[in-house]
Structure formats: C-alpha cells, structure tokens
Amino acid sequence: MRIIQAAKQYALYLAWVVSLVATLGSLYFSEILGYEPCKLCWLQRICMYPQAILLGMACFKNDRRMASYLFPLSLIGGCISLYHYAEQKIPALAKLLPCTVGVPCNEDYIDWLGFITIPFLALIAFILMASFLWLQKRSLKEEEEEKQDEEYVQVQE
C-alpha cells in the first residue's frame, strides 16, 4: 500500500522520468548506434517526445492536471508499440501492411532474451507512463472529492 501511495504522490515525476529515459534511449539507438527508425518507430516517437517536454513543464509548474491531456497520448503510443511488436514476432502481420519505404517495420535491431526488442521497450515505457498518469488523475480526483466533502460539511455547520 505504501508503494501505491508513493506512486500517487510522485506519479507525474515518475511519468516524466520514464518519458526521458525512453526519449534518450530512442535517440541513443538512432544517433549513436545508427539504427534507422522505421515508419512505426517514428509514430511512437511522435507520441513519446512531446510527453518528455510537456511532463517536464508540468513537473516544473506542478501542474497535475496535465495528466488528463497526456494520458491518451500514452495509450495511442502504446497501441502503436503493441502492433509494432506483434508485427516483429508474428511474421504474417508483416505481410498484411508491409513497410514499403525505408527500413522494414519487422526488422529486429535488438533481440535480448528472445523477446525484448525496441518496440517492446517502447511498449513498457508507454504502459508505465499511462499507469502513472492514470494514478495522477485518480489522485487529483480523490483530492477534489475530499475538498468538496469538506466544503459540504462546512456549509452544513
């Protein structure tokens, strides 16, 4: 229970850390290791990179309402990552909508332990971010309800 309370308290910051690690990891793979991103990788980056900036601004300003706006972006990015991972692991999917320009989307640059690929790492990041943002939204809603209850009690007295 303490872990959930701590996660609720620092959810916005934890989501920001995850987005920073994912963004820097993405840049490391492409700019340092030279792995060219495919079309689906670019779509995942479109969902991830703005979150690193916006969550940083939200943390700096302690704007916890930003979680409501960024949560859908994490869900969309997670869906793209899930499809990308499935395309890498299920060869028949790669034939349905093949990447015709640039790097094939079913290309595995890394394959750690037989299942960890770049889209899998992105999927984990999006799941973590969505979870932290959901916790933040829930925590904010609980605080607002408590505040309304206190106001109601004060009015009744």
Side-chain angles (χ1 to χ4, degrees):
M1 200 63 173
R2 282 187 191 176
I3 293 173
I4 293 175
Q5 285 303 107
K8 277 184 182 179
Q9 185 177 359
Y10 298 108
L12 196 64
Y13 301 101
L14 292 169
W16 181 44
V17 168
V18 170
S19 70
L20 280 177
V21 169
T23 298
L24 294 174
S26 164
L27 291 171
Y28 173 78
F29 283 132
S30 64
E31 301 305 316
I32 295 175
L33 295 182
Y35 299 159
E36 187 176 338
C38 69
K39 185 172 89 174
L40 291 173
C41 288
W42 278 111
L43 292 174
Q44 292 166 71
R45 286 177 173 204
I46 288 169
C47 292
M48 182 64 69
Y49 288 10
Q51 290 194 72
I53 295 166
L54 294 172
L55 283 166
M57 292 169 51
C59 288
F60 181 72
K61 293 182 174 186
N62 197 25
D63 182 5
R64 299 180 309 146
R65 295 189 186 280
M66 185 67 78
S68 297
Y69 303 113
L70 295 176
F71 181 73
L73 202 54
S74 293
L75 291 181
I76 292 167
C79 289
I80 295 168
S81 296
L82 181 63
Y83 176 77
H84 193 183
Y85 183 67
E87 190 174 281
Q88 286 184 332
K89 295 301 178 184
I90 304 170
L93 281 177
K95 294 176 183 175
L96 289 176
L97 293 169
C99 287
T100 55
V101 177
V103 178
C105 293
N106 63 346
E107 179 77 25
D108 283 348
Y109 284 118
I110 65 168
D111 193 12
W112 300 331
L113 303 175
F115 71 96
I116 299 173
T117 64
I118 294 173
F120 181 80
L121 294 172
L123 176 61
I124 296 302
F126 282 120
I127 288 171
L128 285 172
M129 289 173 53
S131 299
F132 290 135
L133 291 170
W134 179 77
L135 274 175
Q136 182 61 61
K137 283 175 51 175
R138 186 174 165 200
S139 173
L140 192 60
K141 185 177 180 182
E142 287 172 2
E143 287 176 16
E144 288 174 353
E145 287 174 357
E146 286 176 15
K147 187 177 178 182
Q148 286 177 351
D149 289 344
E150 289 174 7
E151 290 174 357
Y152 178 76
V153 169
Q154 287 176 354
V155 169
Q156 294 299 320
E157 293 176 351

